[in-house]
Amino acid sequence: MRLTTPNLQLNQQGELRHFLTLEGLKPRHLNQILDVADGFIDEHGEIGKVPNLHGKTIMNLFFEPSTRTLTTFEIAEKRLSADVVNLNIATSSTKKGETLLDTLWNLQAMLADIFVVRHSESGAAHFIARHVAPHIHVINAGDGQHAHPTQAMLDMLTIRRHKGDIYDLKVAIIGDIQHSRVVRSQIQALSLLEAREIRVIGPKTLMPPDPSALGVHVFDNIEDGLDDVDVIINVRLQSERMKSALLPSEKEFFNLYGLTKSRLAYAKPDAIVMHPGPVNRGVEIDSEVVDGEQSVILDQVTNGIAVRMAVMSIITENAQALKESTQSMQEDRA
């Protein structure tokens, strides 16, 4: 029986072809990524080099500035033994009037296998995935306010490695819920992995119009929101995406919603503190908490390498498995 493709990022067998968003995926897709990523980390917390993507060419197309995401993708790609190309957008042909599609088709002609895309426009990764050749895979490294799936998955891996199964955990996300692509992906991941409760904490001006539709509990008081939680995720104020002054000042935001040691005490004693970065000390979180015993922020960075290795390995292996399955079917027919 011929299988249909349920969405753009899955192949005919229902496995990952691209990694664009967590929306539309099954828990098994997420658990596969977490399991494979976990396998890349040894007992000392180190990640060695493997030949999984030897001979593959990966192009990092970052149309939006990034340090942490680009660097961890590049390290992940090199750990997988791939050939890596970072496109310098500042000097690329798109700055000279060439269309995005013409740029992509030229890059395809250079025999790329994977495009890792970061863009300021929501939906850019999906647009690119719809127009690339069938053999090219697209990974979304963040698009506008829409999604940042690998960030959400490295956060899930961090939670799982520190707290065990995500099921039955209470997770609180503090900050700019409205404008954060990371938060959207985190909520989708936590929902798919059946976290017991997802809370969002922040002022009403930084909440989406109907946050309850996301399946979360909304708090505008940080102490109430942190009560008895297992995991705390801070996210930064997305000032570049705010169309008007939604806060009187960063100082006032910290006074009302900044994560301090005294506020951390409302959570469970063994609660972990996370932040996708970049961290703005004294704006959303106090330095004492960033550098404290409950902070796992640097673990998130390391886990980001493993998760990105896992995603690239899985989509490449899926493509190979589909190719072999198709060839076998053709041989049987012959």
Side-chain angles (χ1 to χ4, degrees):
M1 183 178 73
R2 181 173 178 174
L3 297 174
T4 58
T5 303
N7 68 37
L8 177 64
Q9 60 184 347
L10 301 183
N11 64 23
Q12 294 96 319
Q13 296 177 328
E15 305 299 336
L16 285 175
R17 175 192 168 201
H18 306 297
F19 193 51
L20 309 174
T21 177
L22 299 179
E23 186 176 0
L25 298 186
K26 304 289 187 185
R28 68 177 179 84
H29 294 119
L30 276 62
N31 282 313
Q32 180 187 25
I33 292 170
L34 295 176
D35 291 342
V36 173
D38 218 9
F40 284 129
I41 306 173
D42 68 18
E43 65 272 18
H44 306 294
E46 308 233 345
I47 301 173
K49 191 168 186 176
V50 293
N52 299 37
L53 265 65
H54 177 72
K56 301 292 184 181
T57 298
I58 304 176
M59 294 189 175
N60 296 316
L61 314 181
F62 276 56
F63 296 86
E64 185 181 58
S66 167
T67 300
R68 185 179 291 97
T69 302
L70 175 58
T71 302
T72 53
F73 260 111
E74 185 174 359
I75 292 171
E77 291 152 6
K78 291 179 178 178
R79 286 282 198 277
L80 291 168
S81 305
D83 297 318
V84 180
V85 178
N86 293 325
L87 181 65
N88 188 341
I89 301 302
T91 58
S92 74
S93 295
T94 57
K95 292 291 185 181
K96 303 173 186 175
E98 184 174 83
T99 68
L100 176 59
L101 284 179
D102 282 329
T103 298
L104 291 174
W105 291 330
N106 275 278
L107 294 173
Q108 274 186 183
M110 298 176 194
L111 305 180
D113 297 288
I114 298 175
F115 287 156
V116 177
V117 180
R118 188 182 185 98
H119 205 287
S120 60
E121 295 294 326
S122 297
H126 283 75
F127 175 81
I128 291 170
R130 282 194 297 270
H131 291 90
V132 294
H135 71 279
I136 291 183
H137 310 287
V138 178
I139 298 174
N140 185 3
D143 63 326
Q145 296 180 31
H146 175 240
H148 199 343
T150 59
Q151 177 65 53
M153 291 310 300
L154 73 89
D155 293 339
M156 298 307 106
L157 180 62
T158 303
I159 294 171
R160 195 171 82 163
R161 287 179 65 84
H162 282 275
K163 306 298 289 184
D165 199 337
I166 292 170
Y167 176 77
D168 210 32
L169 294 179
K170 294 181 182 178
V171 182
I173 305 173
I174 311 171
D176 187 353
I177 309 303
Q178 166 69 2
H179 302 95
S180 175
R181 58 191 172 204
V182 172
V183 170
R184 282 172 171 74
S185 294
Q186 287 168 339
I187 291 172
Q188 289 170 345
L190 289 166
S191 298
L192 282 165
L193 297 172
E194 300 184 318
R196 178 180 176 185
E197 184 180 356
I198 308 167
R199 302 177 181 180
V200 293
I201 306 169
K204 292 180 180 178
T205 52
L206 297 182
M207 291 288 172
D210 185 14
S212 60
L214 300 173
V216 300
H217 293 91
V218 183
F219 293 82
D220 59 11
N221 179 282
I222 187 170
E223 287 83 5
D224 292 342
L226 291 177
D227 182 46
D228 202 38
V229 300
D230 302 280
V231 178
I232 302 167
I233 306 175
N234 263 111
V235 294
R236 70 179 180 88
L237 298 177
Q238 307 282 314
S239 302
E240 71 277 12
R241 299 193 181 104
M242 296 183 191
K243 295 182 179 179
S244 60
L246 300 177
L247 293 169
S249 68
E250 291 182 345
K251 181 178 180 181
E252 182 163 344
F253 180 83
F254 182 75
N255 289 337
L256 292 173
Y257 297 101
L259 184 60
T260 61
K261 193 170 182 179
S262 61
R263 285 170 171 161
L264 178 57
Y266 284 86
K268 289 183 179 178
D270 63 347
I272 58 173
V273 175
M274 302 167 60
H275 195 303
V279 176
N280 294 311
R281 295 170 185 252
V283 177
E284 66 261 2
I285 187 169
D286 190 73
S287 287
E288 192 175 19
V289 178
V290 175
D291 303 322
E293 293 180 354
Q294 290 168 264
S295 172
V296 296
I297 294 171
L298 293 181
D299 290 348
Q300 289 174 262
V301 179
T302 302
N303 291 337
I305 297 171
V307 159
R308 286 156 181 152
M309 289 174 68
V311 170
M312 290 184 282
S313 293
I314 289 168
I315 61 176
T316 303
E317 289 170 7
N318 289 344
Q320 182 60 33
L322 180 61
K323 181 180 179 181
E324 292 173 358
S325 175
T326 302
Q327 288 176 340
S328 177
M329 289 174 64
Q330 290 173 342
E331 290 171 0
D332 289 343
R333 288 189 188 122

